[in-house]
Amino acid sequence: MIKVFRSELYAMVHSRVAWVFMALMMLLSMAAVSVGAKYHHPAERVYFVTGARDTELERSLEQAMGPDWGQFAGYNERTGEYQMNLDKYKLMKDLGQGSYLFGRSDFLHCYEIYPERYPLETQDLFEGWAVTGIFSDLGGSIYFWMFFAAFFFGRAHTRRGYAAGILCGAKRRDLVLGRILVYVLVGALLSVLQTFLSFVLFAPRVHEVYGTAVMARGFAARLATDLFFCGLVMVFSVLICRPVLSFVASFGVVVLFFSNRAVIQLPVFQLYEKALDCIVTGEGFGSACLPLVAWMAAVFAVTGIASVLYIGRAELK
């Protein structure tokens, strides 16, 4: 197994095709993260947090904006708040109007990030969202794994790599485990690199906001989850020798789980969300992250055994 590991690792490190492929897939993954980040910028809001309807406030709004004040402010029954039009607020501030309104104790001018609110003087607003936002954005990395698995294992079939190893006397178990070790090692490095680049590009100051411990917990949970899907899609590329078909099969399974999470909820999703909830305080993080690691190990064990059995039964010419 060690010989296969060293041989496969050497071949990958010295393969220009592999480097170009991984660079392109990394760019694709970053593009996917950018799509998620684009729609999660903090939104500036103006509120009167009254908790219930306030006739005194409504009279003040009418006095400041006229009888058509309802076009610029409205009461939300669900949240118990009066939300004011941001452009109207800025215009009134520029004209020096409504100082008695904006001096109220229930007035709130804030940036809203799902679902927390931060006062204007708070900095690093986007980074506050990014701790869970970027970590929880799994779409780009999962599609990366599907391409990577098809490239890594599918090419072995097309080049008859397994057949050559067996003809040279290597055991099928060693062939599969050796390749899986390289796959996991490279996959782990790419997972860390992808997450790191996401923060560098979209939230570079997040480390200053939360510190090393929080980021380390987030990286650990993300790595375990990434490798779970890395192992999940691997089996298709071993069992289906055509890379295109293996990608289609893994894509179908991933879409099934992602589009029907309300019906088919993998425990790994729930554990990962629980782990992200714990990364800031650290309380309960171990109880959420350790099962993630167990799921990751289990999926690699199942797919590894399936791959060994498949190669043993396959007719390799």
Side-chain angles (χ1 to χ4, degrees):
M1 182 180 69
I2 299 301
K3 290 183 179 180
V4 176
F5 171 79
R6 290 190 301 181
S7 174
E8 294 293 340
L9 185 61
Y10 179 88
M12 174 164 283
V13 170
H14 289 80
S15 171
R16 294 180 181 178
V17 175
W19 285 108
V20 171
F21 171 82
M22 286 186 283
L24 291 175
M25 289 300 98
M26 193 65 67
L27 291 174
L28 176 64
S29 178
M30 290 298 99
V33 174
S34 70
V35 171
K38 178 180 179 181
Y39 297 103
H40 289 82
H41 282 291
E44 191 174 359
R45 297 283 187 264
V46 179
Y47 291 99
F48 294 92
V49 187
T50 58
R53 283 196 173 273
D54 190 320
T55 55
E56 179 187 352
L57 172 62
E58 292 183 2
R59 285 196 297 267
S60 298
L61 290 170
E62 183 177 1
Q63 180 181 354
M65 294 184 286
D68 59 345
W69 68 270
Q71 298 179 13
F72 307 103
Y75 179 71
N76 188 321
E77 294 282 355
R78 184 179 59 84
T79 59
E81 301 165 340
Y82 287 85
Q83 182 173 340
M84 186 175 178
N85 179 274
L86 183 62
D87 292 334
K88 183 66 174 179
Y89 163 76
K90 291 180 178 179
L91 178 61
M92 293 177 65
K93 289 285 288 185
D94 292 340
L95 297 176
Q97 301 174 352
S99 57
Y100 55 92
L101 277 174
F102 308 135
R104 291 172 56 106
S105 60
D106 55 12
F107 174 72
L108 178 64
H109 182 194
C110 69
Y111 284 91
E112 186 178 70
I113 309 173
Y114 306 99
E116 298 136 326
R117 291 172 179 170
Y118 298 82
L120 277 176
E121 60 268 24
T122 301
Q123 298 179 354
D124 304 325
L125 299 172
F126 184 72
E127 283 80 352
W129 164 82
V131 168
T132 53
I134 290 179
F135 276 135
S136 61
D137 189 1
L138 295 169
S141 64
I142 291 176
Y143 293 118
F144 178 95
W145 300 130
M146 291 190 292
F147 280 106
F148 183 46
F151 171 83
F152 191 82
F153 289 100
R155 292 173 75 243
H157 279 282
T158 57
R159 295 187 309 167
R160 295 295 184 260
Y162 290 125
I166 291 175
L167 290 174
C168 292
K171 296 181 179 179
R172 63 179 185 271
R173 179 196 62 194
D174 294 341
L175 286 172
V176 172
L177 293 182
R179 290 187 67 82
I180 289 177
L181 283 177
V182 177
Y183 180 64
V184 172
L185 175 63
V186 176
L189 291 175
L190 292 176
S191 172
V192 172
L193 178 60
Q194 181 207 35
T195 309
F196 176 76
L197 287 177
S198 297
F199 281 104
V200 169
L201 293 175
F202 304 111
R205 296 172 296 173
V206 72
H207 177 267
E208 302 172 14
V209 180
Y210 289 97
T212 304
V214 173
M215 297 306 294
R217 286 192 286 265
F219 269 86
R222 177 60 180 265
L223 179 60
T225 308
D226 274 353
L227 290 181
F228 169 83
F229 287 101
C230 185
L232 182 66
V233 300
M234 177 193 79
V235 71
F236 296 102
S237 296
V238 175
L239 301 182
I240 303 174
C241 62
R242 294 181 180 274
V244 174
L245 294 180
S246 68
F247 175 81
V248 171
S250 55
F251 180 82
V253 170
V254 170
V255 169
L256 174 66
F257 284 123
F258 266 80
S259 61
N260 295 279
R261 274 184 284 182
V263 180
I264 307 173
Q265 179 73 297
L266 285 177
V268 70
F269 287 121
Q270 298 171 332
L271 290 170
Y272 187 51
E273 291 172 0
K274 183 180 178 181
L276 290 183
D277 290 340
C278 302
I279 64 174
V280 175
T281 64
E283 298 177 359
F285 177 75
S287 62
C289 194
L290 288 179
L292 274 177
V293 176
W295 272 92
M296 177 197 71
V299 76
F300 271 105
V302 171
T303 54
I305 293 172
S307 302
V308 170
L309 294 176
Y310 172 77
I311 291 175
R313 296 175 180 178
E315 182 180 354
L316 297 172
K317 298 182 180 179

